[in-house]
Amino acid sequence: MAGIKEIAERAGVSITTVSNVLNKKKNVGAKTREKVLSIAQELGYSHKEQSGIDGKRRTIIVSFSDFDTLFYLDILHGISDYVSRQGYHILICNGDDLAHYSDPDEVCGCIILSSQILDSQVLAVADKGLPVITLDRELKHPMIKPMIVSNYEGERQLMQKLVDAGFKSFAYLSGQDTADNKERYTALRDVLRENDISFHRNDFYEGDWREKSGTQAARLIMLRDRMPEVLVCANDMMAIGAIRHFQENGIRVPEDISVCGFDDIIISRYLGLTTVSVPDYERGFLAGQALLNILDGTGDFDTYRIGARVKWRRTAAKSHK
């Protein structure tokens, strides 16, 4: 059976236009609508509408990497609060299940935040004519709206505050190879270079966003002849893992080493973690709103950037030499 991309190519229109026609939107001219429907019928394309409120499909896919990371909960809460008020339902899946569940006959759109999902997989969903909100990457496609954190600006502010506080020796604990991580690491390197502070390959540690990789990085740092003054982590979960391991082994934070994160998840506030705060509940709420606006024909696919700001707390006090 033909897909929405093939219909668009045959009709000489955009995927968005085909999607609007098949979803019975009124913002397409009669001649174009007739042409698209004729080609869809000719190619044997079936676009059944799932029964639901107002006879429309009301299910949205939310795809995460995994479900053990705390910051997902705030994002999901924000998405759910908005879309449920509009009579929509959420189907949560991981990257492995995305292709299976992203059927235009069953769901009406997707929100994706998953380092395990390849760009090609996201594009394949959009090619089906489903609007996609990406929270972790910027892709060029007429059916994809990126809503991404201003990672570079947030991390840059944090790094400059650390330098201004007098820190001279840094280590960085990376997340997985994502756009978020690349922007945060680039900001760190830029600020250090601009302030003539050296950073070497052995100052870089590889992690995977999880608390356990923070523990592993802390073990390795403790083996060094001289520990860095600051461990900058690409997210809060890894920072928490590092802090716990340091403290369990008699290394004081911040007296012996300062630790910073990124995200400002709830537990970070209780631990006094210096971090970059991302409004995750609002991030989810806005993503749900943007997707439903697109479905209603009032939204757009322009990139939307979400601001982040530094939360300076006790784990980054300049109290050690």
Side-chain angles (χ1 to χ4, degrees):
M1 185 175 66
I4 194 169
K5 186 177 181 181
E6 184 178 352
I7 296 171
E9 290 173 350
R10 290 278 294 272
V13 298
S14 68
I15 291 175
T16 305
T17 298
V18 175
S19 178
N20 288 338
V21 170
L22 297 176
N23 285 293
K24 300 182 179 179
K25 300 287 177 61
K26 298 179 180 179
N27 56 349
V28 182
K31 187 175 181 180
T32 299
R33 181 182 303 277
E34 183 179 345
K35 183 178 181 180
V36 169
L37 290 174
S38 176
I39 292 172
Q41 183 177 13
E42 177 186 338
L43 295 176
Y45 182 80
S46 172
H47 192 75
K48 305 183 298 295
E49 288 194 332
Q50 179 181 345
S51 60
I53 300 174
D54 298 331
K56 298 178 181 178
R57 290 165 294 125
R58 293 277 178 165
T59 301
I60 293 168
I61 292 177
V62 178
S63 184
F64 293 143
S65 293
D66 51 43
F67 308 111
D68 66 356
T69 304
L70 293 177
F71 87 97
Y72 286 141
L73 299 179
D74 281 342
I75 295 173
L76 184 59
H77 188 190
I79 295 171
S80 179
D81 275 1
Y82 186 82
V83 304
S84 63
R85 294 172 192 170
Q86 314 303 320
Y88 285 77
H89 311 286
I90 291 175
L91 172 64
I92 302 175
C93 70
N94 59 29
D96 294 336
D97 295 327
L98 179 61
H100 174 72
Y101 287 113
S102 56
D103 181 352
D105 289 338
E106 304 296 334
V107 300
C108 56
C110 300
I111 299 174
I112 294 175
L113 174 57
S114 175
S115 59
Q116 297 174 0
I117 296 178
L118 301 175
D119 288 353
S120 58
Q121 293 174 292
V122 179
L123 293 169
V125 173
D127 282 345
K128 297 178 181 179
L130 286 172
V132 179
I133 307 294
T134 55
L135 298 178
D136 59 353
R137 72 197 79 189
E138 192 167 7
L139 297 175
K140 298 297 183 182
H141 190 286
M143 294 299 289
I144 294 177
K145 181 178 180 67
M147 299 186 69
I148 52 181
V149 174
S150 297
N151 292 283
Y152 181 87
E153 291 77 7
E155 189 76 6
R156 185 179 177 86
Q157 291 173 24
L158 172 64
M159 287 301 302
Q160 192 59 56
K161 282 182 176 290
L162 291 168
V163 171
D164 292 344
F167 292 102
K168 298 290 185 182
S169 172
F170 294 82
Y172 180 73
L173 175 54
S174 167
Q176 292 170 315
D177 188 22
T178 64
D180 287 345
N181 185 68
K182 289 176 182 176
E183 289 186 15
R184 294 169 195 178
Y185 181 53
T186 299
L188 177 141
R189 295 302 302 270
D190 286 352
V191 171
L192 295 183
R193 184 183 65 255
E194 291 165 9
N195 288 274
D196 296 319
I197 297 174
S198 60
F199 186 88
H200 305 289
R201 183 64 185 86
N202 62 356
D203 296 323
F204 182 92
Y205 297 86
E206 294 185 3
D208 63 2
W209 305 114
R210 293 177 173 84
E211 184 176 340
K212 186 175 180 180
S213 61
T215 300
Q216 179 62 29
R219 288 196 189 104
L220 296 174
I221 289 172
M222 288 169 59
L223 295 175
R224 295 174 60 162
D225 292 337
R226 183 179 178 84
M227 293 198 305
E229 292 181 314
V230 191
L231 171 61
V232 179
C233 301
N235 79 339
D236 286 356
M237 289 303 298
M238 295 189 296
I240 290 166
I243 289 171
R244 285 178 173 167
H245 190 75
F246 284 141
Q247 292 177 337
E248 288 168 1
N249 289 274
I251 305 297
R252 300 169 302 167
V253 178
E255 292 82 2
D256 300 319
I257 184 171
S258 291
V259 180
C260 303
F262 200 112
D263 286 329
D264 197 24
I265 59 177
I266 292 176
I267 192 172
S268 300
R269 303 161 203 175
Y270 294 106
L271 293 176
L273 177 64
T274 294
T275 186
V276 179
S277 179
V278 178
D280 283 323
Y281 172 86
E282 292 79 5
R283 187 181 177 191
F285 191 92
L286 289 171
Q289 183 181 59
L291 181 57
L292 266 57
N293 285 345
I294 289 170
L295 293 172
D296 289 341
T298 60
D300 59 56
F301 290 91
D302 297 338
T303 297
Y304 185 96
R305 292 193 174 273
I306 297 168
R309 59 178 181 169
V310 175
K311 291 290 186 179
W312 189 270
R313 301 189 180 111
R314 63 178 180 82
T315 65
K318 183 67 168 110
S319 58
H320 60 281
K321 300 295 183 181

